[in-house]
Amino acid sequence: NTATTIYTFAPDTTQPDQTCAINETMEITVNPLITPTFTQVDPICNGDILVLPTTSNNGVTGTWSPAINNTATTIYTFAPDTTQPDQACAINETMEITVNPLITPTFTQVAAICNGDILALPTTSNNGVTGTWSPAINNTLTTTYTFVPDTTQPGQACAINETMEITVNPLITPTFTQVAAICNGEALAVLPTTSNNGVTGTWSPALDNTATTLYTFAPDTTQPGQACAIN
């Protein structure tokens, strides 16, 4: 059953009425098996489009099972349509399609900054994914940045975009009522340690009621809501 062969039938001439029976031949054709050939489908990322060809590289038509699943690595079986001409001896073929999991870059959230502070974002995530951020860094406006992994790098083909919002708080300028001019030696009231707009802090240098002096108010930036208060 593996090769085309001519078989000879030899009658048993010892049997009644078969003395004059002669040999007869029959050729049985054994067609070779046809193995459908396919180009191996490259690994995909979870959720990517996955389509398998219904015609093999060597022209065999058929169907795949089980149903396409673009979320899990699966072995698919191609069953030729043996009712089609020249496909009676086509056999099943299998292909495993690898589905790689998505990689989400992880980052430590950047704390809120004050308008104008230095701002830099890492180009490598905590879990080792490299890439770039967009739009351009803006240290004057609260902005949502998108990290785009470099999917050409080894092991990063399935890395996905990630976002981070960086809050930029406005600067707070303490406001005070101007102290009126005094005469040399007159009493100089203690300067307020809380501004008109509620910022607390301290003044320097020490009060001097004998010389015109420029005093600087230094807000206590450790207090809630005062991180961006300026001198």
Side-chain angles (χ1 to χ4, degrees):
N1 66 351
T2 63
T4 297
T5 305
I6 297 175
Y7 298 94
T8 299
F9 179 78
D12 182 356
T13 56
T14 66
Q15 296 300 311
D17 301 324
Q18 293 191 185
T19 303
C20 294
I22 61 175
N23 290 359
E24 184 58 287
T25 61
M26 182 185 294
E27 183 178 41
I28 308 296
T29 300
V30 176
N31 291 317
L33 300 178
I34 302 171
T35 302
T37 58
F38 296 92
T39 301
Q40 175 64 47
V41 175
D42 291 332
I44 66 169
C45 300
N46 189 305
D48 281 355
I49 294 173
L50 175 59
V51 178
L52 295 178
T54 56
T55 301
S56 70
N57 295 347
N58 54 337
V60 180
T61 59
T63 56
W64 293 91
S65 62
I68 297 297
N69 183 352
N70 65 349
T71 64
T73 295
T74 305
I75 296 176
Y76 298 94
T77 298
F78 180 79
D81 181 355
T82 55
T83 66
Q84 296 301 309
D86 301 321
Q87 293 190 185
C89 293
I91 61 174
N92 290 1
E93 185 58 292
T94 60
M95 184 188 297
E96 182 177 41
I97 309 296
T98 300
V99 177
N100 291 317
L102 299 179
I103 302 171
T104 302
T106 58
F107 295 92
T108 302
Q109 175 65 47
V110 174
I113 65 169
C114 299
N115 188 305
D117 281 356
I118 294 173
L119 174 60
L121 295 177
T123 55
T124 301
S125 69
N126 294 346
N127 54 338
V129 179
T130 60
T132 55
W133 293 91
S134 64
I137 297 298
N138 184 349
N139 65 349
T140 65
L141 184 69
T142 295
T143 304
T144 299
Y145 298 95
T146 299
F147 179 79
V148 180
D150 182 355
T151 54
T152 66
Q153 297 301 307
Q156 295 190 184
C158 293
I160 61 175
N161 291 3
E162 185 58 292
T163 60
M164 184 188 297
E165 182 180 48
I166 309 297
T167 300
V168 177
N169 291 317
L171 300 179
I172 302 171
T173 302
T175 58
F176 295 92
T177 301
Q178 175 64 47
V179 174
I182 64 171
C183 297
N184 187 304
E186 281 188 350
L188 176 58
V190 175
L191 297 178
T193 56
T194 301
S195 70
N196 294 347
N197 54 339
V199 179
T200 60
T202 57
W203 292 93
S204 62
L207 293 182
D208 184 353
N209 63 350
T210 63
T212 297
T213 304
L214 182 65
Y215 298 95
T216 299
F217 180 80
D220 181 353
T221 55
T222 66
Q223 295 301 308
Q226 295 191 182
C228 294
I230 60 175
N231 291 359

